[in-house]
Amino acid sequence: MSGTVNVSVAPLDSGTIEIVALDASSQSGATITDGAFAIPAAKGLQPGDYVVRIYAGDKVVVPIDAASGDSAAVPVPQEGISPEFNLERKLTAKVEVPST
């Protein structure tokens, strides 16, 4: 399985895609690079209905401790994709048996 991921009509620079069966019986995923991803057949998915989650945590925010003013805290990744495409699970896919 392979495909492309666009955000605001432009390819997503980098991120990950997770594809999880609705009954949680199987899952797979891949790295997204320049909008493209590929899941090898050996790690492929069985026919069925899936939830698709896309993440792009490439932005980093350095938290500031308001009490001490210390800005040397551990960086925290900031999700670059709207929650509807990962946490809210609004993207779905159907994997079908290939026709012969």
Side-chain angles (χ1 to χ4, degrees):
M1 169 185 274
S2 62
T4 58
V5 178
N6 293 317
V7 177
S8 300
V9 301
L12 179 64
D13 291 335
S14 64
T16 58
I17 185 168
E18 295 176 357
I19 304 171
V20 182
L22 290 180
D23 65 2
S25 63
S26 66
Q27 71 179 44
S28 194
T31 300
I32 300 166
T33 304
D34 297 327
F37 72 92
I39 299 172
K43 294 183 179 183
L45 302 164
Q46 297 298 314
D49 294 316
Y50 291 82
V51 171
V52 178
R53 299 181 193 136
I54 299 170
Y55 299 94
D58 57 346
K59 299 176 183 175
V60 177
V61 175
V62 178
I64 298 173
D65 182 346
S68 69
D70 181 16
S71 63
V74 176
V76 176
Q78 179 178 342
E79 183 54 58
I81 301 291
S82 173
E84 68 186 289
F85 301 114
N86 45 52
L87 299 177
E88 294 176 8
R89 304 175 183 189
K90 291 189 177 184
L91 288 177
T92 60
K94 184 172 196 77
V95 176
E96 297 180 347
V97 177
S99 58
T100 54

